[in-house]
Amino acid sequence: MDSVHFLGNIVVSFSVLILLWNAPCEAQLSPSFYSNTCPNALTTIRTSIRQAVSRERRMAASLIRLHFHDCFVQGCDASILLDETPSIESEKTAFPNINSVRGYEVIEAAKREVEKICPGVVSCADILTVAARDASAAVGGPSWNVKLGRRDSTTASRSVANTDLPSPFSDLNTLISAFANKGLSARDMVALSGSHTIGQSQCFLFRDRIYSNRTDIDAGFASTRRRQCPRNSGDSNLAALELVTPNSFDNNYFKNLMQRKGLLQSDQVLFSGGSTDSIVSEYSRNPRTFMSDFGNAMIKMGDLEPLTGQNGIIRRICRATN
């Protein structure tokens, strides 16, 4: 072998090593991660999640939101599940989460069932990611292949939860930027917002909108919502995010936005004369396109900064480090 070819091969091999070294850690995630170490993990999680959703249909929305609020704070690492300790500032008490995010006990129950068959193998981060998919499917929404192999954090960040989670009062540019900061496109953001086709919101989060008399809200819709959300009381009173089929995962959310019947300000801004109007219109006409895009966006969100390999731990219970 002449020296030029030999050196060339060294350079190429070294370059490949550099590329592998710098490859994003989500490349290590795989749908078959537990095929040998815990082959019944996914079935066990699905059974547990279906039972929880059958007990309370609203839980499907809560689990999807719990996964979203986990991934947007230091990645999909189950940090949101950790309780407060002297060394951990729990995300549960961050403003977007406190008295709002639900479903912790459902993930803990699924973890207990998985621990019975495969102790110390399956992470809480993966259980939460799978739970979001199973919750969607349980109420008629899309399913998708969940990549697995995440590990659990030993830390949490209330401060990042307070800054990085989008507000229900956000304008369109703020929403686009918040998702872009996580590597998600405006189309991903609109698709993920479509999860508001199920679930409920508290009065204090939409009160300003329904009493605003603005042109971007249908007057009859505002009047209906005021009945359960007085101007000066009832902060925690609940209203369905989507009025027509509030317990089914479909595309009525987008049809509502086109009729100026978005409950939250951050819903209606998606169809308010801005850059995402065409996406909302497309999803209102094509439920299959919405379902497909939602699944793909959930996969992308699940890839956010996972802990893999030797990073992180496998928690024995989800609310505490080992």
Side-chain angles (χ1 to χ4, degrees), residues 27-319:
Q28 299 175 35
L29 300 180
S30 164
S32 59
F33 188 83
Y34 298 113
S35 293
N36 296 323
T37 55
C38 193
N40 293 320
L42 295 182
T43 304
T44 302
I45 296 167
R46 182 170 65 247
T47 299
S48 190
I49 299 308
R50 281 182 175 173
Q51 289 172 347
V53 173
S54 68
R55 285 192 301 269
E56 183 196 10
R57 192 94 169 160
R58 179 189 173 200
M59 187 53 68
S62 298
L63 292 172
I64 293 170
R65 183 167 181 248
L66 183 59
H67 175 49
F68 165 51
H69 280 222
D70 179 41
C71 291
F72 261 54
V73 182
Q74 61 184 47
C76 306
D77 60 358
S79 59
I80 195 170
L81 304 179
L82 288 171
D83 284 342
E84 187 87 13
T85 72
S87 60
I88 294 174
E89 53 164 35
S90 177
E91 294 167 22
K92 293 180 179 181
T93 52
F95 180 72
N97 297 333
I98 192 168
N99 299 323
S100 174
V101 166
R102 322 164 62 242
Y104 301 112
E105 73 289 347
V106 173
I107 302 303
E108 207 70 74
K111 173 66 169 173
R112 281 194 300 272
E113 294 304 308
V114 173
E115 285 294 296
K116 290 176 185 176
I117 58 169
C118 309
V121 174
V122 182
S123 68
C124 298
D126 275 345
I127 290 173
L128 178 50
T129 307
V130 171
R133 185 271 309 272
D134 292 344
S136 169
V139 291
S143 187
W144 54 91
N145 284 329
V146 175
K147 291 188 275 184
L148 303 164
R150 298 165 194 79
R151 288 166 66 86
D152 298 323
S153 70
T154 56
T155 63
S157 179
R158 185 185 305 121
S159 58
V160 174
N162 280 326
T163 57
D164 285 19
L165 287 167
S167 161
F169 309 108
S170 296
D171 61 26
L172 181 59
N173 287 336
T174 301
L175 288 173
I176 291 173
S177 296
F179 281 76
N181 288 341
K182 306 297 180 183
L184 296 165
S185 67
R187 190 177 183 89
D188 293 329
M189 183 267 290
V190 176
L192 291 169
S193 297
S195 63
H196 286 183
T197 183
I198 53 175
Q200 300 180 352
S201 180
Q202 297 182 68
C203 166
F204 79 96
L205 296 173
F206 58 86
R207 178 183 283 121
D208 286 351
R209 174 161 162 74
I210 62 174
Y211 285 99
S212 65
N213 293 316
R214 289 170 47 158
T215 58
D216 67 349
I217 185 166
D218 177 84
F221 173 75
S223 177
T224 299
R225 288 312 190 195
R226 287 174 191 158
R227 292 175 199 158
Q228 298 298 323
C229 184
R231 191 186 289 272
N232 297 310
S233 63
D235 280 5
S236 60
N237 291 0
L238 295 172
L241 285 160
E242 193 273 287
L243 198 57
V244 183
T245 52
N247 292 313
S248 296
F249 199 109
D250 54 32
N251 68 332
N252 276 328
Y253 168 81
F254 299 104
K255 296 178 181 179
N256 288 350
L257 296 185
M258 296 183 69
Q259 296 169 7
R260 298 177 298 136
K261 295 178 181 178
L263 185 62
L264 301 175
Q265 192 62 35
S266 58
D267 291 325
Q268 194 58 56
V269 295
L270 303 182
F271 191 84
S272 56
S275 60
T276 55
D277 280 19
S278 60
I279 306 171
V280 171
S281 179
E282 181 183 358
Y283 289 162
S284 76
R285 295 190 310 270
N286 300 305
R288 287 186 179 180
T289 302
F290 161 54
M291 296 281 195
S292 175
D293 283 2
F294 180 80
N296 289 331
M298 289 292 283
I299 291 170
K300 284 178 69 174
M301 187 173 73
D303 283 347
L304 289 177
E305 303 174 58
L307 298 169
T308 57
Q310 297 304 306
N311 297 316
I313 62 171
I314 304 297
R315 296 184 207 145
R316 289 191 292 269
I317 58 173
C318 292
R319 65 180 180 274

Side-chain angles (χ1 to χ4, degrees), residues 5-44:
H5 285 157
F6 178 67
L7 288 172
N9 286 338
I10 290 176
V11 170
V12 169
S13 299
F14 186 66
S15 298
V16 170
L17 283 173
I18 292 293
L19 284 170
L20 289 172
W21 185 261
N22 290 321
C25 49
E26 60 260 30
Q28 299 175 35
L29 300 180
S30 164
S32 59
F33 188 83
Y34 298 113
S35 293
N36 296 323
T37 55
C38 193
N40 293 320
L42 295 182
T43 304
T44 302

